Amino acid sequence: MVRPSGDEVMVRGFAHYTERVAQELGVPAGNWAVRDDDAWEGYVGIPELELYPGREVALVWNPDEGWALAVETGSGEDMILAGYLGSARVPPPSAVRSFVERLRRDGRALRTTPAHGTREEALRAVADYGGVGGGVAAVE
């Protein structure tokens, strides 16, 4: 059996993790995406929030900051970050869903600082969603 390389596991794990978050939120395919180059960015469009009426809202992820809420500016520029999810860079998908539910009830659920940890820890954690027991460590 040929085992996938660490990069393949990372890409698969990152895509699977982002997909699981989207599924938890009820976001259909086509409304979420990953960029698995050196940036490692995830995007999950979420239904409109009352906090930002008429604006596109999404959760965005990167290994340096974890999940953040991004909001369309209305001027055609890039979305702006409104705040961060919490203290874990790679929280379980169910925790991301709980965060969005809290945000719908109380906009003050956002944090002003990104999650703790290192980029390497975050990438290892998403690799664990790649389906090869133990993520990157299992294939190095």
Side-chain angles (χ1 to χ4, degrees):
M1 174 172 109
V2 176
R3 298 197 70 173
S5 72
D7 286 346
E8 291 167 341
V9 172
M10 188 83 68
V11 168
R12 185 172 53 224
F14 180 44
H16 190 236
Y17 173 66
T18 306
E19 179 181 28
R20 297 253 327 264
V21 168
Q23 289 171 342
E24 281 285 335
L25 295 171
V27 173
N31 287 1
W32 65 270
V34 296
R35 186 172 149 202
D36 56 17
D37 56 10
D38 288 337
W40 296 100
E41 296 172 336
Y43 170 95
V44 178
I46 58 176
E48 188 174 309
L49 288 175
E50 289 181 22
L51 289 169
Y52 304 100
R55 298 200 179 201
E56 182 180 333
V57 180
L59 291 177
V60 293
W61 184 91
N62 71 59
D64 298 310
E65 300 173 320
W67 287 105
L69 182 72
V71 181
E72 173 186 60
T73 64
S75 65
E77 295 179 15
D78 288 341
M79 297 177 92
I80 58 169
L81 294 184
Y84 300 94
L85 183 146
S87 59
R89 288 193 191 192
V90 186
S94 60
V96 178
R97 183 194 71 237
S98 295
F99 165 75
V100 171
E101 290 168 353
R102 280 192 321 274
L103 193 56
R104 289 190 186 286
R105 291 189 308 271
D106 178 8
R108 294 174 297 186
L110 288 170
R111 293 177 177 239
T112 58
T113 56
H116 302 288
T118 67
R119 178 181 181 87
E120 291 74 26
E121 290 168 341
L123 291 173
R124 268 191 240 106
V126 296
D128 285 341
Y129 284 85
V132 178
V136 173
V139 295
E140 288 183 331

